[in-house]
Amino acid sequence: MLIRKPHSYLSGIAKITKLHTGLDSGLRYGQNSLPADSLKGRCEMTKNFLQPILFDSNHQRTPMIRRMFLLFLSCLTLIPFCAGSGGPSSTQGALMVKKEAFGSTPDGKAVELYTLANMHGIEVRVMTYGGIVVSVKTPDKAGHLADITLGFDTLAGYLANKPYFGALVGRYGNRIANGKFAVDGKEYTLAKNNGPNSLHGGLKGFDKVVWQAESFQKSAEVGVILKYTSANGEEGYPGTLHVTVTYTLNDKNEFSIDYHAITDKATPINLTNHTYFNLAGEGSGSILHEELMLNANHFTPVDSTLIPTGKIASVTGTPFDFTKSTVVGSRINNKDEQLELGGGYDHNFVINRQGAGLVLAARVYAPTTGRVLEVDTTQPGVQFYTGNFLDGIHGKHGHIYNKRDALCLETQHYPDSPNQPSFPSTILKPGQTYHEITVWRFSTR
Ligand code: BGC
């Protein structure tokens, strides 16, 4: 379903009437907190300190009233250090958005980096080059913040971003077979940048252009509105396409991506975000121990070039059944034709839904850190990709990213839909509005 009314869940961009940049507000989260280890130490000290006051061997000589007074004073002094020690609530912050320069592209376009933070200390950074989500910092169950997305420290890394870390992908996310499709009886040819197929919008997709940006701040959310106009014929696609993507972080620990587009000629469109998650923290190794639930009874099997065969297959009795939370790596090496073709999971799952609107598509849980990521979406599918092609990429903080060090949950329409008449249509016509929403919700348990 392409045409959707703005969902009531988040106020749509049309409703945003006043924008606040809040550029001078600084990052203030964490100012009242101490690291959990040091808090634990202080609580131990309290115990040791109180022991002699209450139970000293000379207690006969210390009047009871004096001992009680000393105890009262000690409690007053130490309560603030012990309260909430180690829990996620120890990460305090303030809602804010700030903008800074992040270098420029080889053709001289300035790139800006926006930092969004909420009152719980969650921080998301996005940049105007490729609409890329540069980092996502969330607390673990002990309150320690870590960046849970793969990426690079500088713009230079992203300019050669082969794996599409954090990218805003378009005009068509995922593959189009043989780089060809027809609309209204006219055939169009795209660049083949992935074997015989076109992948993620072609040679210079939406992940490689500089977007116009404007930030906003409201009472319980902050965000950035990104705009890009894709010219008629760009990368071989028909029609001038006006795209608006709004990234919003709210105080309920939700980060939403709201996509809008209009066109002046019928064109395929399939926008997604390609963030690579590792809920134990980027650079911490494999995600195979993380647990995944996919709200999908079916998936779309692929051929040897990862183009869907057209079949909608049941997941029942296969390694593709994630309807109950399952360890990601528990079946990934099973003898299974689809797993072998994908080199692991690299498949589109058909999200269970009754009608349009936001539904829960996926939930990931990392037992080591207690972090939980839930993904809601209005889209019909989600590409579950286990980073099978990561091959020693030099990422943030000198970390090397290898195969299976992250997973992607790319909410989307099914791959190759323009050539698959039985799949939901991805053709946007003049007069229609493309509108999709995806929400990432962060928590711990
Ligand atoms: C695709 C993978 C591809 C990756 C990076 C995913 O969306 O399904 O096959 O390797 O993107 O391009």
Side-chain angles (χ1 to χ4, degrees):
M1 287 281 274
L2 278 170
I3 318 304
R4 296 203 171 89
K5 288 203 187 101
H7 199 276
S8 58
Y9 167 81
L10 289 157
S11 45
I13 49 160
K15 289 192 204 154
I16 297 166
T17 49
K18 197 171 170 210
L19 304 179
H20 306 269
T21 54
L23 300 184
D24 52 357
S25 49
L27 274 173
R28 278 179 284 154
Y29 59 81
Q31 64 184 183
N32 293 327
S33 61
L34 284 168
D37 285 351
S38 97
L39 288 166
K40 200 170 150 225
R42 280 172 197 266
C43 291
E44 287 299 320
M45 276 163 50
T46 316
K47 239 165 60 190
N48 300 339
F49 178 54
L50 293 179
Q51 202 94 10
I53 296 172
L54 285 175
F55 309 109
D56 74 320
S57 53
N58 298 328
H59 70 276
Q60 300 289 24
R61 277 179 279 130
T62 315
M64 174 63 120
I65 193 104
R66 192 164 158 238
R67 277 186 276 142
M68 292 316 286
F69 181 65
L70 276 173
L71 173 63
F72 176 70
L73 275 186
S74 319
C75 287
L76 275 187
T77 322
L78 290 158
I79 276 171
F81 294 112
C82 294
S85 66
S89 57
S90 65
T91 315
Q92 298 291 314
L95 199 64
M96 73 103 207
V97 52
K98 91 173 170 179
K99 177 174 90 166
E100 59 201 304
F102 199 56
S104 54
T105 59
D107 58 351
K109 290 202 178 89
V111 175
E112 291 155 356
L113 180 72
Y114 284 85
T115 302
L116 316 177
N118 79 1
M119 63 182 283
H120 304 292
I122 289 184
E123 182 207 273
V124 180
R125 293 190 306 156
V126 299
M127 69 163 147
T128 52
Y129 177 77
I132 288 172
V133 173
V134 173
S135 62
V136 176
K137 287 185 187 152
T138 70
D140 65 9
K141 63 185 170 194
H144 298 300
L145 284 178
D147 182 357
I148 57 168
T149 62
L150 273 55
F152 304 102
D153 294 322
T154 61
L155 178 62
Y158 288 101
L159 292 173
N161 184 8
K162 292 216 185 84
Y164 296 84
F165 289 151
L168 200 175
V169 179
R171 190 177 291 200
Y172 198 95
N174 217 310
R175 292 173 174 81
I176 294 184
N178 302 309
K180 281 198 186 311
F181 63 90
V183 181
D184 294 338
K186 188 166 183 256
E187 185 161 284
Y188 294 89
T189 304
L190 311 169
K192 293 176 181 171
N193 59 340
N194 186 253
N197 304 319
S198 175
L199 177 71
H200 296 332
L203 299 175
K204 190 175 178 186
F206 292 179
D207 60 296
K208 295 179 185 67
V209 301
V210 177
W211 294 64
Q212 292 301 313
E214 218 174 341
S215 64
F216 63 90
Q217 178 154 7
K218 300 204 262 183
S219 60
E221 61 185 36
V222 284
V224 184
I225 302 171
L226 298 172
K227 288 190 179 172
Y228 177 67
T229 299
S230 169
N232 179 32
E234 186 178 276
E235 289 295 316
Y237 289 95
T240 305
L241 187 75
H242 297 278
V243 189
T244 304
V245 176
T246 306
Y247 287 132
T248 307
L249 176 67
N250 69 22
D251 274 338
K252 290 192 280 179
N253 297 342
E254 294 163 328
F255 179 73
S256 69
I257 311 173
D258 182 299
Y259 306 91
H260 269 264
I262 52 168
T263 184
D264 61 1
K265 268 190 203 169
T267 178
I269 180 169
N270 190 23
L271 305 180
T272 192
N273 180 279
H274 209 308
T275 291
Y276 285 68
F277 291 102
N278 183 327
L279 298 190
E282 61 78 30
S284 67
S286 168
I287 46 78
L288 291 181
H289 61 281
E290 297 191 359
E291 295 169 22
L292 173 72
M293 187 286 297
L294 287 173
N295 179 22
N297 293 342
H298 296 90
F299 76 111
T300 51
V302 290
D303 68 14
S304 61
T305 68
L306 299 182
I307 292 292
T309 59
K311 205 175 151 201
I312 306 279
S314 167
V315 297
T316 308
T318 76
F320 290 79
D321 190 348
F322 284 94
T323 51
K324 290 195 182 62
S325 187
T326 307
V327 174
V328 169
S330 61
R331 301 161 302 182
I332 202 166
N333 295 318
N334 281 14
K335 259 210 119 11
D336 176 279
E337 192 204 12
Q338 283 300 312
L339 283 175
E340 281 161 17
L341 288 170
Y345 296 100
D346 193 354
H347 294 79
N348 169 66
F349 285 72
V350 176
I351 298 167
N352 298 332
R353 57 166 61 252
Q354 270 106 34
L358 278 170
V359 291
L360 178 70
R363 182 185 298 114
V364 193
Y365 167 64
T368 50
T369 61
R371 285 196 185 86
V372 178
L373 164 69
E374 287 176 305
V375 179
D376 292 351
T377 191
T378 56
Q379 301 253 28
V382 57
Q383 182 86 4
F384 170 46
Y385 171 56
T386 39
N388 312 319
F389 296 109
L390 293 177
D391 55 357
I393 290 169
H394 291 251
K396 295 170 185 170
H397 315 298
H399 293 150
I400 309 282
Y401 304 139
N402 288 311
K403 187 171 170 174
R404 312 274 160 74
D405 280 357
L407 57 84
C408 301
L409 292 160
E410 301 153 67
T411 51
Q412 58 170 13
H413 268 251
Y414 310 167
D416 195 34
S417 294
N419 296 308
Q420 306 263 358
S422 64
F423 289 177
S425 173
T426 50
I427 304 300
L428 179 69
K429 296 185 176 145
Q432 297 181 330
T433 300
Y434 171 92
H435 185 208
E436 301 286 358
I437 303 171
T438 291
V439 181
W440 302 338
R441 192 167 35 256
F442 306 106
S443 59
T444 56
R445 74 166 126 99

